[in-house]
Amino acid sequence: MKFSLEGRTYVVMGVANKRSIAWGIARSLHEAGARLIFTYANERFEKPVKDLVSTLEGQDALFYECDVTNDEAVDATFQQIGEDVGTIHGLAHCIAFADKEDLKGEFVETSRDGFLLSQNISAFSLVAVTRAAEKLMTEGGSIVTMTYLGGERVVQNYNVMGVAKASLDASMKYLANDLGKRNIRVNAISAGPIRTLSAKGIGEFNSVLKQIEEKAPLRRTVTQEEVGDTAYYLMSDLSRGVTGETIHVDSGFNILGI
Ligand code: NAD
C-alpha cells in the first residue's frame, strides 16, 4: 500500500498514449488513491486518453482540452476545473514540442521560429499553467515538470529542445521561489531516455538508449513507472521539504563524466 493520496486531486497534463510519461505518473497517483484530472492538447487525443483512463479501476476522472500555447484556453481550463472540483493539490506538466527538423544536425542552424516554438510549448507553458493552477491550490500543492539532461549538457541532436529544457529548469526554480510562501512546491524530474511519441522525433534516439544500457550505473534504461513513482513522491507529503529541485531518474547516467 502506498502512502495515501486519498482525498487529493491532481491535474495530469500531457497524456498522448500508453507510452507517455504522463501516463506513468497518472497510474502511480491513481494507485496511491488520488483523484485525477486530465488535460490533452486537442480533440484528437480525447478518445485515446479517455479509453486509457477507463482502465484505471474506480477512478472518477475529469477531462479538459487545453492547448498550452493559448493563454485564454489555459485560463478557461483552470477556471472550469475550479468550478468543477474546487481545490487541487498538484499538477504534472509533461508537455514539450519542437520541430523534427530542429532535432537533428547542428544547433547553429536552428531557425528563429523553431527556437520560439519550442520555448513556447516546452518552457513558457509551465509558467502559464502554474499561474492558472496555483489559484486552485488553496491547501498548498506540488507542481512537477519533466526535464532532460540535454538542458544541462550538450546531448547530440537534442539541440533546440536542450535550450528549451534549460529555460524550463530555470523557470521551475523561479516559480519555486515565488510560490513557496503559499506552500506550493515546484520540482522537476530529469528522466532518462524513454521510447515515447515525442522521443521518436529525436535523431538517432536508439543510439541514446543503447548508450544508457551500456554505460549508465544501473546498465538499463528507465521506465514510465519509475518516473511515475518519483512524481508520486514529489506529489506526496514525503517530499514536503523539497522544492526547486531536479531529481534525475536516469539509471544514474548524469553522474558520468563522458
Ligand atoms: P509524449 O509525446 O507522450 O508527451 C508529450 C505531450 O505533450 C503530448 O501529450 C502532447 O500532446 C503534449 N503537447 C504538445 N504540444 C502541446 C500543446 N500545444 N498543448 C498541450 N499539450 C501539448 O512524450 P513524453 O516523452 O512522455 O513527454 C513528456 C515530457 O517528458 C516532455 O516534457 C518531454 O520532454 C519529457 N521527457 C521525455 C523523455 C523521453 O525520453 N521520452 C526524457 C526526459 C524528459
Side-chain angles (χ1 to χ4, degrees):
M1 179 59 187
K2 285 189 166 180
F3 194 86
S4 178
L5 296 182
E6 266 169 47
R8 297 200 188 174
T9 304
Y10 295 86
V11 178
V12 179
M13 309 186 79
V15 177
N17 57 37
K18 67 173 194 265
R19 289 175 183 267
S20 294
I21 289 175
W23 182 238
I25 293 175
R27 276 185 296 162
S28 230
L29 299 180
H30 167 75
E31 278 166 29
R35 184 180 191 196
L36 300 178
I37 293 174
F38 292 86
T39 75
Y40 47 87
N42 56 53
E43 60 185 18
R44 187 159 63 89
F45 295 103
E46 183 175 354
K47 187 169 178 328
V49 173
K50 285 185 174 170
D51 286 350
L52 264 183
V53 175
S54 70
T55 64
L56 299 179
E57 211 174 307
Q59 179 57 245
D60 181 23
L62 292 171
F63 302 87
Y64 304 85
E65 183 177 321
C66 182
D67 175 352
V68 295
T69 60
N70 179 333
D71 282 335
E72 278 127 52
V74 171
D75 288 345
T77 300
F78 282 91
Q79 193 174 337
Q80 193 59 51
I81 292 173
E83 283 169 26
D84 294 345
V85 303
T87 300
I88 62 169
H89 301 89
L91 178 143
H93 171 274
C94 314
I95 292 174
F97 186 79
D99 262 342
K100 221 175 160 184
E101 285 307 300
D102 290 324
L103 297 171
K104 60 182 182 193
E106 293 195 342
F107 171 69
V108 70
E109 298 300 337
T110 306
S111 67
R112 187 183 299 270
D113 284 350
F115 188 97
L116 295 176
L117 177 73
S118 64
Q119 289 283 335
N120 189 10
I121 299 182
S122 317
F124 181 74
S125 65
L126 177 69
V127 182
V129 301
T130 295
R131 189 161 56 226
E134 66 135 338
K135 299 185 185 93
L136 307 181
M137 295 184 182
T138 51
E139 298 170 4
S142 171
I143 295 170
V144 176
T145 189
M146 291 304 312
T147 189
Y148 180 57
L149 188 63
E152 299 171 61
R153 314 225 186 111
V154 173
V155 173
Q156 208 185 355
N157 291 321
Y158 205 59
N159 297 357
V160 74
M161 189 56 87
V163 177
K165 290 303 189 193
S167 168
L168 178 74
D169 295 350
S171 301
M172 178 275 289
K173 290 179 191 165
Y174 277 87
L175 292 169
N177 186 50
D178 285 349
L179 273 53
K181 49 190 172 299
R182 296 196 272 288
N183 195 27
I184 298 171
R185 299 180 292 110
V186 190
N187 292 287
I189 297 173
S190 181
I194 299 176
R195 208 184 292 279
T196 63
L197 194 63
S198 294
K200 269 190 188 163
I202 300 163
E204 297 169 63
F205 189 70
N206 283 343
S207 67
V208 180
L209 293 172
K210 196 158 167 265
Q211 194 186 30
I212 302 291
E213 283 163 4
E214 286 171 0
K215 304 224 167 93
L218 294 180
R219 299 291 195 279
R220 61 172 180 82
T221 55
V222 296
T223 64
Q224 285 86 339
E225 288 73 22
E226 288 166 335
V227 175
D229 280 350
T230 299
Y232 154 65
Y233 156 74
L234 287 172
M235 294 296 189
S236 79
D237 292 348
L238 290 171
S239 61
R240 59 196 176 280
V242 179
T243 194
E245 186 65 271
T246 300
I247 301 182
H248 292 85
V249 181
D250 65 349
S251 297
F253 186 75
N254 73 93
I255 67 170
L256 300 180
I258 52 165

